């Protein structure tokens, strides 16, 4: 179980988005979440420089009592690969959040606190919306989604959010892709017993790709990717749910 917790694995997959501009066909994202106190594999990630266009970090970038110099090293490594965007997870708020945010920003990472950022390429663009975990400023519920300024309502939009249960608190999901983590895929899944969470939501939405109704009148569904994450919570062990990060290649149309 301990050995499994420290393995390095990259999952490469293509994601087809109907509204993705043609200029973004082949755009590659390194998606990594739930690092916690692990040190990122420098050699493995440096080999991705020039092969990925952006890095999306999905929260729990550190945790309480984890060395802050390790957080700095991890963030600097990600920024050295490609422009990096990040959101908070619940464990980030259990650490010294002011110091954590200072380190993240000083490394060059764009930290999104319920914010939109327009990502442009060769005349095309899509919106990335970073959803902050609801622990900032004493808030206990997710903030309303930030509005897109002066945009075509059919513009491509991707959400970066730590906890996929955010979806269950929304009436609509005005985007095509949601990238999340938090679950660790159960982290320890025992034969016959499996893994049980306090919230029944996670019994079904554990890890992998899921459809989610957008409920915006279009009849379309969003794609939801829940990563098993790279680190571990509580104990450095994994079983039946290996650590992972992802290289996602965006495609314009789903092939026949």
């Amino acid at each position: 179980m301990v050995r499994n917790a420290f393995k390095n694995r990259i999952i490469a997959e293509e994601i087809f988005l109907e509204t993705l501009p043609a200029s973004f066909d082949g755009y590659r994202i390194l998606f990594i979440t739930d690092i916690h106190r692990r040190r990122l594999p420098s050699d493995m990630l440096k080999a991705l420089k020039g092969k990925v266009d952006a890095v999306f970090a999905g929260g729990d970038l550190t945790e309480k009592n984890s060395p802050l110099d390790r957080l700095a090293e991890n963030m600097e490594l990600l920024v050295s690969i490609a422009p990096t965007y990040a959101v908070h997870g619940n464990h980030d708020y259990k650490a010294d959040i002011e110091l954590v945010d200072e380190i993240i920003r000083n490394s060059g990472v764009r930290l999104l606190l319920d914010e939109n950022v327009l990502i442009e390429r060769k005349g095309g663009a899509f919106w990335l919306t970073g959803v902050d975990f609801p622990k900032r400023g004493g808030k206990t519920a997710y903030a309303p989604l930030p509005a897109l300024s002066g945009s075509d309502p059919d513009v491509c939009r991707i959400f970066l959010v730590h906890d996929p249960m955010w979806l269950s608190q929304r009436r609509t999901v005005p985007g095509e892709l949601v990238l999340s983590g938090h679950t660790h895929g159960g982290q320890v899944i025992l034969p016959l017993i499996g893994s049980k969470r306090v919230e029944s939501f996670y019994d079904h939405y554990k890890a992998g790709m899921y459809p989610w109704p957008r409920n915006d009148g279009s009849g379309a569904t969003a794609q939801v990717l829940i990563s098993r994450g790279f680190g571990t919570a509580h104990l450095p062990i994994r079983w039946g749910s290996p650590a992972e990060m992802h290289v996602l290649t965006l495609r314009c149309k789903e092939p026949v």
Side-chain angles (χ1 to χ4, degrees), residues 111-151:
L111 182 61
L112 301 176
L113 304 177
D114 298 315
E115 296 173 68
N116 302 311
V117 59
L118 188 65
I119 297 180
E120 299 178 284
R121 186 189 200 196
K122 298 178 183 177
F126 72 82
W127 285 100
L128 173 64
T129 299
V131 179
D132 189 35
F133 193 82
K135 293 293 183 183
R136 176 165 50 93
K139 68 179 183 177
T140 57
Y142 284 98
L145 282 180
L148 301 182
S149 56
S151 274

Side-chain angles (χ1 to χ4, degrees), residues 142 161 163-173 178 180 199-202 205 212-213 215 224 226:
Y142 284 98
V161 57
D163 186 352
M165 198 160 68
W166 166 79
L167 291 160
S168 67
Q169 301 180 24
R170 292 207 48 80
R171 293 168 60 186
T172 63
V173 181
V178 178
S180 63
E199 298 287 349
S200 60
F201 175 91
Y202 302 115
Y205 297 100
W212 190 276
N215 293 326
V224 181
I226 304 175

Side-chain angles (χ1 to χ4, degrees), residues 1-168:
M1 287 186 180
V2 173
R3 187 168 59 249
N4 286 340
F6 290 95
K7 287 184 176 179
N8 298 321
R9 186 172 70 132
I10 294 178
I11 307 296
E13 50 199 317
E14 292 184 321
I15 297 180
F16 298 89
L17 303 176
E18 287 291 328
T19 58
L20 187 73
S23 61
F24 279 92
D25 189 70
Y27 187 86
R28 286 192 176 92
I29 299 165
L30 171 62
F31 173 49
I32 184 166
T33 184
D34 298 277
I35 300 170
H36 289 275
R37 58 175 57 241
R38 281 196 72 179
R39 178 175 280 109
L40 293 178
S42 178
D43 291 344
M44 175 184 284
L45 293 184
K46 284 181 178 178
L48 295 176
K49 186 172 182 178
K51 298 178 182 178
V52 297
D53 300 286
V55 179
F56 293 176
D60 280 3
L61 309 178
T62 187
E63 63 179 35
K64 186 177 181 180
N65 298 326
S66 179
L68 291 177
D69 59 346
R70 184 170 303 167
L71 170 65
E73 290 170 5
N74 285 342
M75 294 301 99
E76 288 166 6
L77 174 59
L78 294 181
V79 169
S80 74
I81 298 167
T84 302
Y85 306 87
V87 294
H88 288 135
N90 53 307
H91 281 275
D92 297 315
Y93 279 113
K94 293 177 182 178
D96 186 331
I97 192 62
E98 291 186 3
L99 271 178
V100 166
D101 285 1
E102 182 180 350
I103 290 169
I104 292 172
R105 290 191 172 105
N106 286 346
S107 71
V109 173
R110 175 77 180 270
L111 182 61
L112 301 176
L113 304 177
D114 298 315
E115 296 173 68
N116 302 311
V117 59
L118 188 65
I119 297 180
E120 299 178 284
R121 186 189 200 196
K122 298 178 183 177
F126 72 82
W127 285 100
L128 173 64
T129 299
V131 179
D132 189 35
F133 193 82
K135 293 293 183 183
R136 176 165 50 93
K139 68 179 183 177
T140 57
Y142 284 98
L145 282 180
L148 301 182
S149 56
S151 274
D152 181 339
D154 295 326
V155 70
C156 185
R157 190 178 193 181
I158 296 174
F159 291 100
L160 182 62
V161 57
H162 178 65
D163 186 352
M165 198 160 68
W166 166 79
L167 291 160
S168 67

